[in-house]
Amino acid sequence: MLNINSRIYLAGHRGLVGSAILQKLKNSGYKNITVQTSQQLDLRNQKKVANFFKKNNFQFVIIAAAKVGGIYANNTYRADFIYDNLAIQNNIIYSSFLNGIKNLIFLGSSCIYPKNCKQPIKEDYLLSGKLEETNEPYAIAKIAGIKLCESFNSQYGTNYKCLMPCNIYGPNDNYDLKNSHFFPALIAKTFNATQKNKKEIVLWGSGTPKRELMYSGDLADACLFFLKKKTKETLINVGSSREKTISEYAKFIIKKLNPKLKVKFDKTKHDGTKRKILDCSIAKKYGWNSKINLDFGFESTYKSFIKNYKK
């Protein structure tokens, strides 16, 4: 049973999601949280991860560590995305099992689902069709992690849960225009254009694909919520159930930062999947719901962006 003195290992505490989880744990009074930077522990190194788990007596594990990025990064660094993510998750999940850890949260992404599957996306649609080509290596790695957790649950009775979120945004995001996801890229492009007195920004694709967006604090809440639960299902979708087109998100940010700015779409570039909205019926059945709206989430995110920009 999870309590404030439980020994928790959080992998990936510096990233967008991991930092939100760490803050949530601390705010909730948990006192025994272990984190390691990539310099302290290379999660791709099986021997080092195995020794790390042997030295510590963890009871709960949350895997927020992953190699992540947007369309450009996923499509350009395909080998890195599949190798690094397979290595990280395999080492942590297997070491957890070997050290008798029964409760684990593995985080993935909605890109695990087929490119053209029915909407809203149910967990049952996994492996029912072809993946989006640009992020296929990353998606395959994450699917392997889900099946690894599912197999340990089936064979050994562990309580390993795989939470699949929609697009996440929030403080401590990556704003690199080549490697970031669409929402932080929109913030950075709009801000940069405003600073340079430009009249327009250019965005990839047609602007018509729809995306479901959720604040990182909501995902952190879901992690803690399901860490306490014994669930029948291994794979559980977590999302906001709210979606907009890329064009609408761009207009939302422009209205906040620079209403005079125009948007131009480069239709020679990838659009990615046309629509991705998750069916979160299973999460809701257990009593979890997203709570934070886009206006509040954006204000918090933008404050963090400006603070880091000034640094």
Side-chain angles (χ1 to χ4, degrees):
M1 181 69 72
L2 184 68
N3 61 62
I4 59 168
N5 294 309
S6 295
R7 295 178 299 280
I8 303 167
Y9 170 51
L10 169 61
H13 70 288
R14 282 180 160 180
L16 164 66
V17 174
S19 61
I21 296 170
L22 182 59
Q23 194 63 52
K24 178 71 178 179
L25 289 169
K26 286 180 176 179
N27 289 348
S28 301
Y30 291 89
K31 304 178 186 302
N32 210 341
I33 310 158
T34 298
V35 296
Q36 297 275 283
T37 65
S38 55
Q39 288 75 33
Q40 292 172 309
L41 177 63
D42 183 353
L43 293 171
R44 298 168 300 178
N45 186 308
Q46 187 181 48
K47 187 175 181 181
K48 287 181 179 178
V49 173
N51 288 337
F52 172 71
F53 270 80
K54 281 179 185 175
K55 288 175 184 175
N56 293 278
N57 190 24
F58 301 125
Q59 296 168 291
F60 297 86
V61 171
I62 303 172
I63 308 174
K67 185 176 184 67
V68 297
I71 289 177
Y72 176 86
N74 272 281
N75 201 33
T76 305
Y77 311 115
R78 298 174 73 86
D80 297 340
F81 271 79
I82 192 165
Y83 175 80
D84 286 358
N85 283 302
L86 282 171
I88 289 166
Q89 66 203 34
N90 287 353
N91 290 341
I92 297 174
I93 294 167
Y94 191 53
S95 288
S96 296
F97 167 71
L98 290 178
N99 288 276
I101 298 164
K102 293 284 187 180
N103 293 284
L104 175 148
I105 297 284
F106 172 63
L107 292 170
S109 161
S110 59
C111 74
I112 62 164
Y113 293 110
K115 180 178 180 178
N116 298 314
C117 68
K118 290 189 292 182
Q119 307 284 325
I121 304 168
K122 295 176 182 281
E123 290 87 349
D124 289 346
Y125 299 165
L126 185 68
L127 296 175
S128 65
K130 189 175 173 62
L131 296 165
E132 159 61 36
E133 295 85 354
T134 55
N135 59 22
E136 184 186 70
Y138 174 80
I140 286 173
K142 288 296 179 181
I143 292 168
I146 293 164
K147 291 300 176 182
L148 185 60
C149 289
E150 193 178 80
S151 299
F152 276 120
N153 289 344
S154 173
Q155 189 173 346
Y156 295 106
T158 50
N159 187 28
Y160 294 174
K161 282 148 291 193
C162 305
L163 302 186
M164 294 301 119
C166 59
N167 285 83
I168 302 297
Y169 73 102
N172 299 316
D173 211 335
N174 171 19
Y175 295 94
D176 181 278
L177 293 179
K178 280 191 174 181
N179 298 321
S180 64
H181 288 106
F182 85 91
F183 197 72
L186 284 174
I187 292 173
K189 280 194 173 188
T190 304
F191 179 82
N192 290 341
T194 303
Q195 292 292 103
K196 295 174 183 177
N197 294 314
K198 290 186 177 180
K199 293 182 179 179
E200 70 174 22
I201 57 171
V202 179
L203 304 179
W204 277 27
S206 64
T208 59
K210 291 182 176 181
R211 290 294 179 267
E212 180 183 10
L213 201 60
M214 185 169 72
Y215 186 63
S216 57
D218 268 338
L219 181 52
D221 181 67
C223 287
L224 186 52
F225 181 90
F226 282 104
L227 201 60
K228 300 174 183 177
K229 294 281 182 183
K230 173 68 178 174
T231 62
K232 182 177 70 174
E233 301 84 0
T234 298
L235 177 58
I236 301 171
N237 289 337
V238 286
S240 66
S241 300
R242 296 183 294 271
E243 63 178 347
K244 294 179 184 291
T245 65
I246 300 296
S247 179
E248 286 171 334
Y249 282 118
K251 288 174 184 175
F252 171 85
I253 292 171
I254 286 169
K255 188 177 179 182
K256 296 277 188 183
L257 304 185
N258 185 356
K260 293 181 180 179
L261 201 61
K262 303 295 182 186
V263 181
K264 182 180 177 182
F265 289 98
D266 182 355
K267 295 180 181 179
T268 65
K269 297 292 194 297
H270 291 291
D271 249 346
T273 306
K274 285 293 181 184
R275 189 185 183 210
K276 288 195 297 182
I277 186 163
L278 297 173
D279 184 317
C280 297
S281 300
I282 292 175
K284 289 175 181 177
K285 177 186 75 175
Y286 286 103
W288 183 84
N289 283 284
S290 167
K291 301 178 184 69
I292 299 168
N293 65 38
L294 185 59
D295 280 296
F296 177 87
F298 174 79
E299 293 302 327
S300 176
T301 302
Y302 189 63
K303 280 180 187 176
S304 171
F305 171 80
I306 291 297
K307 184 179 177 182
N308 288 320
Y309 176 82
K310 287 178 178 177
K311 283 181 183 178

